[in-house]
Amino acid sequence: MKYKLTPPFAKFDNNGFAVEPGWVLIYNSDPVTGEFINATYEYVANGFGFPVHACSDAPVESPENKAIVRKNGAWVYLDDHRGKKIYSTKNGEEATVKEIGDIPVDYTFLKPACDFDVWNGEEWVLDKEKQHNHYVMLASVQKNQLLSEAKSRIDYLQDAIDTDIATNEEKTAYSAWKKYRVLLNRIDVDAAPEIDWPEKPE
């Protein structure tokens, strides 16, 4: 980074205070992160020093994916992944890098392939038990919903039969729904997702 400076030039003592007033080229850094911001010309009066978070030594061009940061009186070049997506190795949750430096130790740039992946320390691997339990849970919910529907239809048809006003269609439907409920109760949800659900009566 090269900038041209014209006289009069300020001169400084060993403590960084101007012994001769004049212009100086300074390099500014962010007061919070220390990241290099820009270079500016500043006029320094006699007895004054550099502004806070500024210095006279120039940083060099940073390598790709590096940020120029002022740290402990020197320019350092830290990893800069801001804006990139990272994933929690605990639960696969996605996040966006917002700070300079290494990503948190419990995150990775590798994206899990599905919700059932777990981190083994180096990569995502499929947790078959977790996947199976998920399918079993879905099958249990579906089975309960279908049984509830079947009970509602059977109760209605049972009332029609008990009061001797059931039509032939209702009697046929009653038998079909009773058989359907038996088949539902025989469903083993542990076989999920390979379940052959019985066909619902019309």
Side-chain angles (χ1 to χ4, degrees), residues 17-188:
F17 294 102
V19 292
E20 292 185 19
W23 292 94
V24 64
L25 180 61
I26 64 171
Y27 300 87
N28 304 288
S29 57
D30 185 276
V32 176
T33 66
E35 184 177 12
F36 172 69
I37 300 174
N38 58 15
T40 57
Y41 290 117
E42 297 287 342
Y43 186 85
V44 181
N46 193 40
F48 284 83
F50 287 96
V52 179
H53 308 296
C55 64
S56 61
D57 55 307
V60 299
E61 293 288 349
S62 64
E64 187 177 359
N65 296 324
K66 296 285 186 178
I68 306 172
V69 177
R70 190 71 176 179
K71 189 174 183 179
N72 298 324
W75 294 110
V76 295
Y77 302 86
L78 305 180
D79 290 338
D80 188 6
H81 303 295
R82 287 173 294 181
K84 294 181 179 179
K85 300 297 183 182
I86 54 176
Y87 303 89
S88 169
T89 54
K90 295 180 179 179
N91 54 27
E93 182 177 343
E94 181 182 278
T96 302
V97 180
K98 297 181 179 179
E99 299 180 355
I100 298 170
D102 295 332
I103 63 174
V105 294
D106 51 351
Y107 278 83
T108 176
F109 290 110
L110 300 177
K111 182 178 181 179
C114 67
D115 292 336
F116 310 114
D117 279 359
V118 293
W119 185 253
N120 69 358
E122 295 181 353
E123 61 182 351
W124 294 103
V125 294
L126 177 64
D127 185 335
K128 294 183 178 180
E129 182 178 359
K130 181 179 179 181
Q131 183 185 47
H132 176 67
N133 290 339
H134 174 74
Y135 287 137
V136 169
M137 181 271 294
L138 292 179
S140 297
V141 171
Q142 182 175 353
K143 180 178 179 179
N144 289 334
Q145 290 175 340
L146 294 175
L147 283 171
S148 178
E149 180 184 4
K151 181 180 185 304
S152 178
R153 296 298 295 271
I154 291 170
D155 286 348
Y156 162 74
L157 294 168
Q158 182 70 61
D159 288 344
I161 292 172
D162 290 345
T163 56
D164 295 324
I165 59 173
T167 64
N168 288 334
E169 289 183 352
E170 288 174 327
K171 291 177 181 179
T172 299
Y174 176 77
S175 297
W177 277 100
K178 292 276 284 187
K179 178 181 179 181
Y180 173 69
R181 184 165 66 176
V182 170
L183 294 176
L184 278 179
N185 276 305
R186 290 178 178 175
I187 292 293
D188 179 11

